[in-house]
Amino acid sequence: MSTAAPAPAKSISKSQFVDSTELLADPAALQARAAEDGYLFFKQRLPKDEVLAMRAEMLAIVEKHGWRQPGQDALGGLIDYDAINRLTEEEMHRTDVGVTADAYHDVQKIERFHRLPHHPRLLEIYRTLFGREVLVHPRHIARMVTPHTCMVPTPPHQDFPYIQGSAQTWTCWFPVGDCPKPLGGLMVLRGSHTQGYLPVQPARGAGGFAVPLCPSETEWMEGEYEAGDVLTFPSHTVHKAARCQFKDRIRLSMDVRYQPIDEVVDNSSLNPHCTLKWDEIYANWQSDDLKYYWRKLPLKLSAWDDGYLKPRQRIC
Ligand SMILES: O=C(O)CCC(=O)C(=O)O
Ligand SMILES: [Fe+2]
């Protein structure tokens, strides 16, 4: 007599990211894994010291604004809960990144913040993946997830409606410092990119919209990130942030976008992710080589479509 147990009901499963570093030597295999999983993870892709130098600069800004606990070294991410919570929700919501507009502008002015995304170790990923020259979008985002009571984890979403242009635009997300799971790192829904654009509904958290999930969509991938690790995925992959479980720590990360240079790009991807102008961002830079670099490139612009962020029902 068969003793086979009935199939268990599908439950949320969380698996560890698979490290794709060795596939960088085999473009076809890398492309096949990207097509299958809808994400790639690379352990220790960026030099740790460069990521930590970025962290020190971001934390110095947090300290300047009075939200950092005293008595830590330059890399300590302990936050003064009461100080950050003296900010109003309105002050916080102007940026959507976890700090006020003033502090975010300070971060956007950091030269290293705009140089790190051009690191040869990152460009190698996208040259291998695309088999073509790469456009680095100049619009980089810093996430400074503080324990302000208005902060909620980034809900499940695709980046495409926010970035548009080519669906072959890839997001590169990396923590600026170690990011163990309880600190609230980014997670991806494996294989979700194959569905193309998915409808959205208004939601709390970065972006303001979420993809409603279907009951079968349970295969979340996650990682115990260390400084230097990198996650990347195309703009139809559904992803979300895990909840930060600490009331006294900041989660620092960057998100950056790459695409084949001969694909279309929306003009918004060529503007800063804040109200500053490029000239204001560049004011104190030491080098000129990365100023307006995209203006020398033969880019093809696409038209923005508001329809992608119009709330619609999702049929599962
Ligand atoms: O860091 C986060 O919470 C959100 C990041 C994200 O959605 C992205 O990098 O596209
Ligand atoms: Fe995103």
Side-chain angles (χ1 to χ4, degrees), residues 239-252:
H239 55 286
K240 66 174 180 179
R243 181 174 295 279
C244 177
Q245 299 183 9
F246 300 102
K247 285 217 168 356
D248 61 353
R249 286 186 211 186
I250 192 165
R251 186 265 267 171
L252 296 174

Side-chain angles (χ1 to χ4, degrees), residues 143 157-159 233 239 257:
R143 313 275 172 183
H157 68 280
Q158 299 177 312
D159 282 350
F233 48 86
H239 55 286
R257 272 111 202 145

Side-chain angles (χ1 to χ4, degrees), residues 55-237:
R55 178 175 177 84
E57 289 201 60
M58 287 168 94
L59 287 174
I61 289 164
V62 175
E63 176 150 331
K64 176 183 132 187
H65 287 267
W67 307 317
R68 197 160 167 263
Q69 287 184 26
Q72 311 173 64
D73 68 22
L75 299 176
L78 290 176
I79 295 298
D80 180 338
Y81 180 87
D82 294 333
I84 193 80
N85 278 289
R86 279 195 281 276
L87 298 169
T88 64
E89 289 208 8
E90 215 254 306
E91 285 173 301
M92 294 291 289
H93 280 146
R94 250 177 266 156
T95 63
D96 221 19
V97 301
V99 292
T100 59
D102 276 356
Y104 192 48
H105 289 174
D106 287 346
V107 171
Q108 284 284 344
K109 289 178 180 175
I110 301 174
E111 185 167 358
R112 185 188 296 280
F113 179 70
H114 295 271
R115 190 162 297 277
L116 199 51
H118 294 261
H119 200 287
R121 299 266 297 173
L122 294 179
L123 295 179
E124 184 192 353
I125 298 175
Y126 300 99
R127 286 203 185 105
T128 311
L129 196 54
F130 302 150
R132 283 181 272 170
E133 264 320 295
V134 176
L135 169 67
V136 184
H137 289 195
R139 180 189 188 85
H140 311 312
I141 305 180
R143 313 275 172 183
M144 307 173 74
V145 182
T146 55
H148 191 283
T149 52
C150 77
M151 292 300 290
V152 296
T154 304
H157 68 280
Q158 299 177 312
D159 282 350
F160 182 78
Y162 300 104
I163 300 171
Q164 302 195 19
S166 168
Q168 282 207 64
T169 302
W170 281 61
T171 290
C172 178
W173 185 96
F174 58 90
V176 184
D178 292 346
C179 186
K181 285 177 197 164
L183 197 55
L186 210 64
M187 304 165 72
V188 299
L189 190 60
R190 183 169 173 266
S192 52
H193 62 303
T194 57
Q195 302 182 79
Y197 165 77
L198 296 171
V200 296
Q201 289 287 325
R204 293 180 68 211
F209 292 91
V211 169
L213 298 176
C214 294
S216 63
E217 292 175 323
T218 56
E219 209 184 335
W220 288 100
M221 310 299 294
E222 60 179 359
E224 293 281 354
Y225 294 94
E226 292 174 292
D229 295 352
V230 160
L231 172 71
T232 188
F233 48 86
S235 65
H236 284 142
T237 294

